[in-house]
Amino acid sequence: MRKSFLFALSLVIPVCASAVEPIESAAVRSAAAFGAFLRPETKPFKARVHPASVQTQEPPVETAPGQWRRCVRPLVYIDDYREIYKDGVQLGRSARDYAASCNGRVAWMDSYGDVYRDGEKLGNMAREYRVAKWTGDVAWVDTTGEMYKNDRRLGFGARLFEINDLHGTVVWSDNSNELHKDDKRLGTGVRRFETAWRTGDVAWSDQSGTMYKNEDVLGHGARQFSINGFTGGVVWIDGSGTIYKGTDTLGRSAQRFELVRYTGDVVWRDHYGALYKNETLLGRNCSEFKVEDDGRVLWRDSYGKYHIG
């Protein structure tokens, strides 16, 4: 039995001995590890550079027939401390809201009513502002009714306004019902206006029914009108039902019309069901019609038959 015990012990002791490390070598390694902990690792320094434009993308917008422009807006955010950033660069503090344009400009307002474009202060006591999508111009009104474009004063008593996305022009009406385009007066007694976003033209009628394109009189007795956003052509119907394209008479007894986006043509139906494209008769007994941007017309007659005009 003693021999068995010694034999077993001889098997255990070598294994344990191999697992036991000299105290001196363990202490040396521990000191080295502690020293590495106290001594930070050194790496080549590279300054962090914000990209010139960290941007979000939108679908392309058609600015002319067959011509598309890509809208790339900067990446803008307001953090929990109300600080506003554009592409990681701080623009200001106490920000309340913002609007970014496609050319990288950012309009924003702070909690005190100051309005800015990027880091530039445009004014104070702002009530409302809008930014032009492609030019980055800022139209804004203060609490007293003063009308501004960027830091330039356009007038006072502003009531309604809009800014053209493509050109940056500001069309606005005042409390005296005068109509303005930037700081130019177009007329007085305005009842309603529309703008063509591509050409920048303004169609409007006054309270007596006189129809205008910019400063030019087109006719009188206007009951309804529309302006083609691509061509700037004005189509309108007077009180007797006569329909006009600019100053040209297209027909009478007009009931409904639609504008062809690219060509500027007018498709319209009279009270008797006759369908026209400008002055050309397309058919009779029209019950409904649809116009495509390229000028094609799909219409159905009162018998349910479809036609292409």
Side-chain angles (χ1 to χ4, degrees), residues 1-300:
M1 178 136 183
R2 176 183 175 87
K3 291 181 179 180
S4 300
F5 173 76
L6 292 175
F7 177 74
L9 186 61
S10 66
L11 294 177
V12 173
I13 289 176
V15 175
C16 294
S18 64
V20 175
E21 186 176 8
I23 295 177
E24 182 179 356
S25 61
V28 171
R29 193 170 67 252
S30 297
F34 184 71
F37 172 77
L38 293 178
R39 185 176 61 253
E41 181 182 4
T42 58
K43 294 181 179 180
F45 175 75
K46 291 184 179 180
R48 182 177 179 181
V49 179
H50 289 292
S53 183
V54 180
Q55 301 165 328
T56 57
Q57 298 185 15
E58 296 181 4
V61 175
E62 192 170 20
T63 56
Q67 298 179 14
W68 297 82
R69 180 181 293 187
R70 190 165 59 97
C71 176
V72 184
R73 300 182 193 267
L75 185 63
V76 184
Y77 64 91
I78 299 174
D79 67 14
D80 293 339
Y81 302 100
R82 311 307 298 171
E83 295 176 345
I84 184 170
Y85 292 83
K86 181 178 85 169
D87 296 337
V89 178
Q90 185 177 346
L91 298 180
R93 303 175 183 275
S94 302
R96 191 180 72 182
D97 50 40
Y98 68 88
S101 68
C102 295
N103 73 343
R105 293 297 189 97
V106 178
W108 60 283
M109 187 189 299
D110 66 18
S111 57
Y112 305 104
D114 296 339
V115 63
Y116 300 81
R117 185 170 64 171
D118 291 335
E120 174 193 7
K121 182 178 177 180
L122 301 179
N124 53 25
M125 298 191 303
R127 182 183 72 199
E128 183 182 0
Y129 69 93
R130 295 173 192 167
V131 62
K133 185 173 183 178
W134 298 106
T135 68
D137 292 300
V138 183
W140 61 283
V141 181
D142 69 15
T143 54
T144 67
E146 299 282 336
M147 184 77 234
Y148 293 87
K149 178 180 175 180
N150 301 322
D151 58 355
R152 178 162 63 100
R153 179 182 177 274
L154 302 180
F156 62 90
R159 184 170 56 90
L160 299 172
F161 75 94
E162 60 182 60
I163 187 166
N164 184 284
D165 282 331
L166 198 59
H167 302 283
T169 52
V170 180
V171 179
W172 58 286
S173 62
D174 61 26
N175 292 328
S176 301
N177 291 322
E178 292 188 346
L179 185 65
H180 310 262
K181 186 176 181 181
D182 285 338
D183 51 4
K184 181 180 181 180
R185 180 178 174 273
L186 297 181
T188 187
V190 60
R191 180 175 61 187
R192 188 173 75 86
F193 69 86
E194 290 184 8
T195 61
W197 74 272
R198 181 169 175 263
T199 65
D201 293 306
V202 184
W204 61 285
S205 63
D206 65 18
Q207 294 174 352
S208 68
T210 303
M211 187 72 230
Y212 296 85
K213 179 179 178 180
N214 301 319
E215 299 172 284
D216 300 327
V217 176
L218 301 181
H220 302 278
R223 177 166 54 88
Q224 66 180 96
F225 70 88
S226 185
I227 187 168
N228 188 301
F230 264 71
T231 67
V234 180
V235 179
W236 57 288
I237 299 175
D238 67 16
S240 67
T242 302
I243 185 169
Y244 304 85
K245 182 179 179 182
T247 56
D248 298 330
T249 302
L250 299 181
R252 304 187 184 280
S253 301
Q255 182 185 57
R256 172 179 167 243
F257 69 86
E258 287 190 19
L259 307 181
V260 179
R261 185 179 187 187
Y262 294 151
T263 65
D265 294 317
V266 186
V267 179
W268 60 283
R269 184 181 63 191
D270 66 17
H271 284 283
Y272 307 104
L275 183 67
Y276 298 84
K277 184 174 183 180
N278 299 320
E279 299 171 288
T280 303
L281 178 66
L282 297 181
R284 300 187 184 276
N285 300 315
C286 173
S287 61
E288 60 180 319
F289 66 93
K290 181 179 72 170
V291 178
E292 297 296 329
D293 289 342
D294 59 3
R296 292 174 299 158
V297 182
L298 177 65
W299 63 282
R300 189 178 70 170

